Amino acid sequence: VAGAVERVNKLVCVKALKTRYNGEVGDIVVGRITEVQQKRWKVETNSRLDSVLLLSSMNLPGGELRRRSAEDELAMRDYLQEGDLISAEVQSVFSDGALSLHTRSLKYGKLGQGVLVRVSPSLVKRQKTHFHDLPCGASVILGNNGFIWIYPTPEQKDEEAGGFTPNLEPVPLSDREVISRLRNCIVALVTQKLMLFDTSILYCYEASLPHQIKDILKPEVMEAIVLETRQRLLDLEG
Amino acid sequence: DLRVDGRGCEDYRCAEVETDVVSNTSGSARVRLGHTDILVGVKAEMGTPKLEKPDEGYLEFYVDCSANATPEFEGRGGEELGAEIANTFYRVFSSESCVDLKSLCINPREHCWVLYVDVLLLECGGNLFDAISVAVKAALFNTRIPKVQVLVDEEGSKEIELSDDPYDCIRLNVDEVPCIVTLSKIGYRHVVDATLQEEACSLASLLISVTSKGALTSLKKVGKGSLDPESIFEMMETGKRVGKSLHVALQKVLDEEESLGTSRQKVGFLG
């Protein structure tokens, strides 16, 4: 295992650079549904075991509070199918290491149109909030498990739906350009092993504006952009 | 006209081509197209010509999908894909004008050069056929076949003598060697050089092999979806255009590498 070492007296902890996601309670994760089982969904979150999303941990459409009945069980597949992406929070960790997720808030739920970027979980910085609305015109969810979801900022906050009805309208070209640029910036930061948080992504985005979107992935351009980002982050700290 | 990584529908990813990476082959090339990594080695061996074409040499293709490429290739998982790729290449090179096979003949009906083209898939990152065809063309360009002289003994038996000078060799003319362009249909548009995610979204693809002059040598449809005949014509036109520019770019890189000669720094696998 290769990574950063932390020593506390005689205890040596190594934070690995490339690892599977080890969940903590309270982390935000973005996952993909792999199976629909009796009273739960199995979610793939880049960890050793598939995470579990219990039916009772899921919000009903309309925000009702009642005991889940047999009809709810039969209608599970209407809510979430195999292949859907969801954002959720870790409620608890089972003894074997599997995570139990919940979507008990209106900001979690099924994700609509957007772009997923898979990175190593160790590169996502732990912050107070992982849902960011970037001023460049797109929003980003930095999942602690290394799944980063970039999507166009919704104009109005539709509270009633609770994230169940995906918005399938075509996304305008300007939004798509912003999202592609953000995606390439994140890939550039990841290849240069920089920590991902909203400020670093924003600085990288601004540094990449003079270049064309597809040029960001060229090695020379990538190095130049990340160097500038690193410089600005150092200036911010110092 | 904007894909997830900012490319247009006809843009290729950043590609790296390097020739002469394997020392014990007659010619070799390595191509890295995004996350796809291909290594091609060409070995020239003496053999007997085929019965129906007694005054020509021939090419033999073998594709090995390394288990390192993706987990699906573990054990014998990659054999089906390897056989499919090899058969595609036999079709692509079936046209008479691709490689000058007559120059590979030493003695009609008795001896000829057989070029064994071995393809090794090191990493699968989408768009295998294009990368392999570019690597095969680069490896054939890099191939050096030693010059042979046929001596006739007093009794009339022929002896083959290899020239002693290791630099005395014949090179192949790769101007007519075709390159494959894969066009994947996603929704109503078609894209060139699909990544793994784009390949998962596309239902059908068209493989076109184009020579540098824009002539098509073969056409193949892959995938379980269907293609409209009109869209096939559009895809063919796109493929010809993209193929021509691909040939120009590849030839430029190969000529540059060639001009550096022996002073070229070889990056190989450690760079």
Side-chain angles (χ1 to χ4, degrees), chain B residues 3 7 12-14 31-38 69-70 72-73 81 85 121-132 182 184 191-200 202 205:
Chain B
R3 283 147 86 174
R7 287 186 287 156
Y12 271 91
R13 285 171 284 181
C14 233
V31 169
R32 252 173 302 194
L33 186 68
H35 282 285
T36 307
D37 206 340
I38 313 279
T70 79
E72 296 141 14
F73 290 167
L81 179 66
I85 299 177
L121 295 189
L122 293 167
E123 208 186 330
C124 251
N127 202 19
L128 286 175
F129 286 94
D130 291 23
I132 297 178
T182 311
S184 312
V191 293
V192 170
D193 192 20
T195 58
L196 275 177
Q197 291 99 351
E198 286 168 345
E199 277 183 359
S202 86
S205 317

Side-chain angles (χ1 to χ4, degrees), chain B residues 118-161:
Chain B
D118 297 316
V119 179
L120 178 61
L121 295 189
L122 293 167
E123 208 186 330
C124 251
N127 202 19
L128 286 175
F129 286 94
D130 291 23
I132 297 178
S133 70
V134 166
V136 165
K137 180 166 181 182
L140 286 173
F141 179 80
N142 180 241
T143 307
R144 283 159 172 73
I145 306 176
K147 280 201 183 127
V148 286
Q149 283 169 317
V150 184
L151 304 165
V152 184
D153 257 354
E154 300 90 36
E155 289 107 37
S157 60
K158 297 189 183 149
E159 257 192 36
I160 303 206
E161 200 180 283

Side-chain angles (χ1 to χ4, degrees), chain B residues 18-23 25-30 142 144 257 264 266:
Chain B
E18 207 191 334
T19 58
D20 206 22
V21 283
V22 184
S23 48
T25 52
S26 312
S28 59
R30 183 180 175 203
N142 180 241
R144 283 159 172 73
E257 246 193 355
R264 168 166 72 101
K266 294 202 186 171

Side-chain angles (χ1 to χ4, degrees), chain A:
Chain A
V1 184
V5 168
E6 285 166 2
R7 267 182 244 261
V8 182
N9 292 341
K10 293 260 171 126
L11 179 68
V12 179
C13 292
V14 179
K15 267 208 224 152
L17 287 172
K18 186 178 162 189
T19 166
R20 290 246 173 208
Y21 170 58
N22 290 320
E24 311 271 330
V25 177
D27 281 351
I28 313 272
V29 288
V30 170
R32 202 178 273 277
I33 310 284
T34 49
E35 278 176 55
V36 182
Q37 291 182 347
Q38 284 255 313
K39 275 204 182 65
R40 57 202 188 160
W41 289 275
K42 285 277 185 185
V43 182
E44 189 232 329
T45 52
N46 199 21
S47 35
R48 283 193 316 273
L49 293 167
D50 275 346
S51 310
V52 163
L53 176 63
L54 296 170
L55 178 58
S56 47
S57 317
M58 166 70 98
N59 268 344
L60 289 168
E64 300 168 48
L65 294 171
R66 57 174 167 82
R67 221 186 160 105
R68 309 289 187 271
S69 61
E71 288 105 40
D72 289 319
E73 220 178 304
L74 293 169
M76 271 177 82
R77 203 170 274 278
D78 295 331
Y79 299 158
L80 291 174
Q81 280 202 327
E82 285 94 339
D84 285 343
L85 277 169
I86 55 157
S87 65
E89 194 181 321
V90 177
Q91 188 174 36
S92 59
V93 183
F94 289 122
S95 48
D96 55 0
L99 305 171
S100 177
L101 307 173
H102 77 87
T103 55
R104 276 271 187 203
S105 170
L106 288 166
K107 57 182 180 180
Y108 304 127
K110 185 151 82 168
L111 298 171
Q113 298 190 68
V115 172
L116 184 75
V117 186
R118 292 177 67 149
V119 310
S120 169
S122 53
L123 287 170
V124 181
K125 192 167 176 182
R126 264 178 211 274
Q127 288 184 289
K128 271 212 219 137
T129 168
H130 289 260
F131 290 78
H132 302 287
D133 276 339
L134 298 174
C136 40
S139 305
V140 73
I141 304 180
L142 295 165
N144 286 94
N145 59 336
F147 284 17
I148 301 184
W149 179 250
I150 315 170
Y151 61 106
T153 316
E155 282 96 38
Q156 79 285 16
K157 302 283 173 192
D158 38 9
E159 299 290 339
E160 309 85 36
F164 276 111
T165 47
N167 187 10
L168 288 172
E169 282 169 24
V171 180
L173 186 64
S174 53
D175 282 348
R176 280 174 57 197
E177 286 183 351
V178 171
I179 293 178
S180 296
R181 194 175 277 278
L182 277 173
R183 182 230 177 240
N184 282 354
C185 286
I186 293 181
V187 170
L189 288 171
V190 164
T191 22
Q192 302 286 326
K193 306 277 191 289
L194 225 67
M195 288 294 276
L196 289 171
F197 50 104
D198 52 350
T199 323
S200 70
I201 298 178
L202 198 59
Y203 284 172
C204 193
Y205 179 82
E206 286 167 9
S208 75
L209 280 173
H211 302 275
Q212 273 204 330
I213 306 179
K214 55 189 172 191
D215 290 337
I216 303 178
L217 294 174
K218 289 195 190 147
E220 321 84 46
V221 179
M222 203 189 294
E223 276 178 29
I225 294 177
V226 174
L227 195 66
E228 199 186 313
T229 315
R230 219 184 281 240
Q231 197 59 44
R232 278 183 74 178
L233 286 170
L234 281 174
D235 291 337
L236 186 70
E237 284 172 35

